[in-house]
Amino acid sequence: MTYFIPTSARDRAVSLPPGILPLLVLAVFVLAALFFAAPAYAAESDPARRTAVESAKAEAADLMQQGRYASAYELYMRLLREEPDDDSINLNLARSAMRATKYNQAVMAYERLIEKYPNEAGLYAELAHAYMALDDRASAEQALATMRTIDPNADPASAEAMLGVLEKRYDHLQTHGRVRFGVLYDSNANLGPASASVDLGNWRVQVPDAKAVDSFGAYLGASLDVAWKPERDSAWWLVGDVQSFVRGNAESDLDTNKSRSSEWLRGAVGLRYMSPESMLDIRLKSEIFDYQWYQNVVAMGPEITFVSAISPSLHLISRANIDKRTHSKDSKRNGAYWSAGQFARIYFGQDNHEFIVGASYNGANTSKKDDYSYNGWEGSVRFMFKLPHGVELAPFASFSQEWYDGPATALETDKRYDKSWRGGVSLTWRFSESWSVEAMYQYTDNSSRSNLYEYDQNLVSVGMAWSF
């Protein structure tokens, strides 16, 4: 075959060996492919780019650790566009999407991983969780069925129970309740001084029936919490609760001052906003505390709780409330009572033990200001150790001070000042999903400028609780 190649002098014929032209064309295509692929390869192997990607992955992991799941999800989405085949990016994208309530995106991320690793049983369990969040139980059951074919040791009953728990967790209507009952011993059931003979100012007086009375007794408590949201992924909830507690003492001497039994009832309704990083709960509550159906205190007012997840292991809790209280037998104590506090909850250890520490400011402005109005504060600390076999051990302690606007009685001249130490420990053994045994010991030492309000108390209780 003859080809014509122009030259500066004249056109002359050049003969190429047979078969060389296809090789030249192939060489041109290879060189072009290498030319266009070079920038992509350079970008892939560029140290600066790899450093930036690794830095972004570390930042996204930190956001997950801090509980900022929405921000982590956005960053993992950007990383996915840079590294679509990175397994850690896809897995953490799925997990951050779940915590940020982006369930469809989580399902897609899990399915990409399962396509790549079809024999990874754990991925099917997480995918089932995502399907339950989307209210798709059929797909969740199919995912768990696949998981059981991969892992023959998986328990079908526990998997079914897990689906039931998840279905309840994502339901529009959430209800939780508890019933408690047991026996107790109280070394000072009427919170009285050590003797009926007390010093009030410069006078020693005999106060009938004031002396501390010890007693055995029994208690019964119940609570029901209800929350409802209009849409499955809504951050807003309508919330409410009803609680009650009844205590009866065996000692008949307490009949004299009408304190042999007591009853407490509370009801509240409000709104709650929940995001992956915070919770705001505002309620209007009403409470009544009654002694032996003879005298009672009625309280009404708003309460607010705000929880901010600084990280999964550190939560800041703010609480405040104000009540208008009415006393049926002592109108001098009627008025406004308030409290505002700041607390930190820290999770630590492999079992997520808890540590709560904080302080609150408390006060009252009563109709008889000089007698019962006060300002004060309380600091408290509490641990929750989660031990083997469903046992929880919770030691606690608190200290409070109250400064009153006037003396405690007409016989005294110094303004009343109280300080109180309280400490103890509670033990809970959850021996089944619904039933638990509970025990508690508490010691209180209350000192005051007025001997009438000086007392100590040992309280021991043992009982059972049923949760639903």
Side-chain angles (χ1 to χ4, degrees):
M1 183 179 296
T2 303
Y3 298 91
F4 292 93
I5 302 176
T7 64
S8 56
R10 55 183 171 85
D11 289 344
R12 57 180 181 170
V14 179
S15 295
L16 296 178
I20 196 65
L21 180 61
L23 292 176
L24 289 175
V25 172
L26 178 62
V28 169
F29 274 110
V30 169
L31 290 174
L34 291 175
F35 175 79
F36 287 110
Y41 175 78
E44 186 73 23
S45 59
D46 181 12
R49 179 183 176 278
R50 293 305 310 162
T51 300
V53 169
E54 293 302 321
S55 176
K57 288 170 67 174
E59 182 184 351
D62 286 342
L63 291 172
M64 289 282 283
Q65 281 294 108
Q66 296 167 21
R68 298 169 60 186
Y69 303 112
S71 299
Y73 168 78
E74 296 297 335
L75 185 50
Y76 279 122
M77 281 297 292
R78 293 198 294 271
L79 282 166
L80 184 68
R81 289 189 284 270
E82 295 290 328
E83 299 283 347
D85 294 325
D86 189 299
D87 296 337
S88 67
I89 290 175
N90 276 280
L91 182 60
N92 285 301
L93 173 65
R95 291 173 173 173
S96 63
M98 283 295 297
R99 301 302 294 269
T101 68
K102 298 181 182 297
Y103 305 127
N104 282 306
Q105 291 84 343
V107 166
M108 289 188 289
Y110 282 124
E111 287 180 341
R112 282 196 300 271
L113 285 167
I114 285 173
E115 185 177 356
K116 190 173 182 180
Y117 302 101
N119 294 319
E120 190 65 41
L123 291 176
Y124 290 95
E126 294 190 37
L127 177 61
H129 190 167
Y131 276 129
M132 289 303 296
L134 288 171
D135 200 17
D136 187 353
R137 182 166 183 136
S139 296
E141 290 175 344
Q142 184 178 356
L144 289 183
T146 305
M147 180 190 75
R148 289 195 294 270
T149 62
I150 297 170
D151 182 7
N153 295 322
D155 182 6
S158 63
E160 187 69 21
M162 183 194 80
L163 290 185
V165 171
L166 292 175
E167 189 170 42
K168 186 176 180 181
R169 179 188 302 177
Y170 293 111
D171 199 359
H172 291 251
L173 179 65
Q174 304 279 336
T175 58
H176 304 281
R178 197 166 185 240
V179 178
R180 305 167 53 228
F181 56 91
V183 296
L184 59 87
Y185 170 76
D186 192 337
S187 69
N188 192 346
N190 60 333
L191 303 182
S195 171
S197 179
V198 296
D199 294 328
L200 300 179
N202 297 322
W203 301 85
R204 172 160 291 186
V205 299
Q206 194 78 13
V207 182
D209 306 315
K211 182 181 177 181
V213 177
D214 69 323
S215 178
F216 287 93
Y219 68 88
L220 173 64
S223 63
L224 177 65
D225 291 285
V226 180
W228 177 83
K229 57 182 177 179
E231 298 177 358
R232 191 173 185 87
D233 295 336
S234 174
W236 288 97
W237 297 74
L238 288 173
V239 293
D241 67 86
V242 179
Q243 302 178 47
S244 65
F245 188 83
V246 179
R247 168 176 163 171
N249 297 301
E251 181 54 59
S252 59
D253 288 349
L254 295 168
D255 280 326
T256 307
N257 56 10
K258 306 295 183 184
S259 60
R260 190 171 180 179
S261 66
S262 61
E263 303 81 31
W264 172 73
L265 178 66
R266 164 198 159 103
V269 295
L271 287 172
R272 176 186 295 162
Y273 175 81
M274 291 188 66
S275 73
E277 293 87 17
S278 64
M279 183 203 76
L280 175 65
D281 190 292
I282 303 174
R283 305 188 188 202
L284 180 65
K285 68 173 183 178
S286 179
E287 297 179 79
I288 181 169
F289 188 88
D290 180 90
Y291 280 109
Q292 209 162 320
W293 308 110
Y294 172 74
Q295 55 182 332
N296 59 67
V297 182
V298 177
M300 293 188 66
E303 62 182 19
I304 182 171
T305 302
F306 179 71
V307 181
S308 176
I310 304 301
S311 73
S313 60
L314 174 60
H315 295 176
L316 296 182
I317 306 170
S318 305
R319 293 195 182 104
N321 69 277
I322 183 168
D323 301 335
K324 180 183 178 182
R325 298 186 188 176
T326 304
H327 294 249
S328 64
K329 297 293 184 180
D330 191 355
S331 60
K332 296 175 183 178
R333 296 178 183 268
N334 295 349
Y337 293 74
W338 59 82
S339 174
Q342 182 65 56
F343 305 86
R345 177 169 58 205
I346 301 168
Y347 296 95
F348 63 96
Q350 187 175 359
D351 295 318
N352 269 343
H353 308 296
E354 293 182 28
F355 171 58
I356 300 177
V357 61
S360 62
Y361 165 72
N362 314 301
N365 184 12
T366 64
S367 58
K368 187 64 175 176
K369 184 175 177 63
D370 291 344
D371 287 351
Y372 301 115
S373 294
Y374 69 90
N375 288 279
W377 74 283
E378 180 180 60
S380 63
V381 59
R382 181 182 182 90
F383 285 91
M384 173 74 79
F385 297 106
K386 299 178 181 179
L387 306 179
H389 308 295
V391 176
E392 295 177 351
L393 183 68
F396 57 89
S398 67
F399 174 73
S400 64
Q401 292 177 294
E402 293 176 351
W403 291 269
Y404 286 78
D405 291 352
T409 68
L411 299 177
E412 297 169 288
T413 57
D414 293 335
K415 293 182 178 180
R416 179 182 168 187
Y417 162 66
D418 289 9
K419 62 180 179 180
S420 180
W421 290 93
R422 182 177 289 110
V425 61
S426 67
L427 180 70
T428 303
W429 173 35
R430 306 183 189 279
F431 61 89
S432 75
E433 184 178 342
S434 301
W435 286 94
S436 60
V437 174
E438 57 183 24
M440 187 269 292
Y441 168 74
Q442 176 180 283
Y443 173 73
T444 303
D445 178 17
N446 198 82
S447 61
S448 175
R449 282 180 182 158
S450 174
N451 286 1
L452 191 62
Y453 294 97
E454 285 198 347
Y455 67 88
D456 62 0
Q457 178 193 45
N458 290 278
L459 179 62
V460 181
S461 66
V462 179
M464 296 188 69
W466 173 58
S467 302
F468 61 92

